[in-house]
Amino acid sequence: NKYVSQIQQSSQHLSEMKEKLKILENEVEILRMESASKDKSLQKARAQAREERLKRDGLNEKYTSITRKGLALNEQVEQYVIELDKLNSIINGIEREMVFLKKRYEQAVETRNFTGIQLIDRNDELCILWEKSNVQEKLLKRGEDVMAQRDE
């Protein structure tokens, strides 16, 4: 009887153990499925992280390129400003020279006008002298004619 009781206990214990084994196997299967699901999620997250890193690297390259272009454009603008300053100084120098030439031109015109007036005055004087000379010559000729008539 004792042995039968032990056999029954052993049998019951075996049944409990089998049941626990099934429960543990089910739990292991559930954990495997969770692990597989988490592995897939992890792979997706890694793939997404890799894509995000690639996007970040691409954006960094674009940023670097745009920054380089911006610096080049700033340098070009500075060169244009320097060139503009040079051209403005050239223009200012030319404008000063134009003012100087304009003054010289005005002086030359004044001198020409004064010389022209003097020339006209001298010409008038010359005309008067020619008229006087002609009058003198006529008087001289008349005088010579009168003398020649007297001599005859």
Side-chain angles (χ1 to χ4, degrees):
N1 219 357
K2 184 178 178 184
Y3 293 113
V4 171
S5 165
Q6 281 183 348
I7 289 175
Q8 281 181 349
Q9 281 180 350
S10 291
S11 180
Q12 189 176 357
H13 187 65
L14 181 64
S15 293
E16 287 175 5
M17 286 297 158
K18 281 183 182 179
E19 187 136 342
K20 278 186 181 180
L21 181 64
K22 279 186 180 181
I23 291 171
L24 289 175
E25 283 177 353
N26 282 340
E27 285 181 9
V28 165
E29 185 62 30
I30 290 170
L31 290 174
R32 274 190 197 141
M33 290 175 77
E34 284 180 11
S35 175
S37 172
K38 287 182 180 180
D39 281 344
K40 284 182 183 179
S41 295
L42 179 62
Q43 287 177 353
K44 284 182 183 178
R46 285 182 179 164
Q48 188 176 1
R50 189 172 31 253
E51 287 177 17
E52 294 301 323
R53 278 193 299 272
L54 289 174
K55 285 181 186 178
R56 180 202 63 201
D57 292 344
L59 289 174
N60 280 338
E61 288 176 14
K62 282 183 181 179
Y63 174 77
T64 304
S65 172
I66 290 171
T67 303
R68 261 191 254 122
K69 286 179 183 177
L71 290 174
L73 288 174
N74 284 342
E75 187 175 315
Q76 192 175 18
V77 165
E78 287 176 19
Q79 289 175 355
Y80 286 154
V81 167
I82 291 170
E83 187 175 342
L84 190 62
D85 288 343
K86 286 180 185 177
L87 292 174
N88 280 335
S89 70
I90 290 171
I91 288 171
N92 289 336
I94 290 173
E95 284 177 347
R96 283 190 299 271
E97 187 175 341
M98 284 174 52
V99 167
F100 173 74
L101 289 174
K102 184 177 178 186
K103 286 180 183 177
R104 280 187 52 199
Y105 172 76
E106 288 172 356
Q107 287 174 350
V109 166
E110 236 177 86
T111 304
R112 181 204 64 193
N113 290 345
F114 180 72
T115 307
I117 290 170
Q118 282 183 333
L119 180 64
I120 291 170
D121 289 345
R122 297 296 175 265
N123 192 32
D124 289 347
E125 289 175 8
L126 183 62
C127 286
I128 291 169
L129 288 175
W130 274 108
E131 284 179 25
K132 284 181 181 180
S133 172
N134 287 339
V135 168
Q136 292 290 327
E137 279 183 22
K138 284 181 185 176
L139 282 176
L140 181 67
K141 191 161 189 163
R142 250 192 258 156
E144 284 176 358
D145 287 345
V146 169
M147 291 282 281
Q149 282 177 358
R150 281 188 188 168
D151 281 342
E152 291 177 6

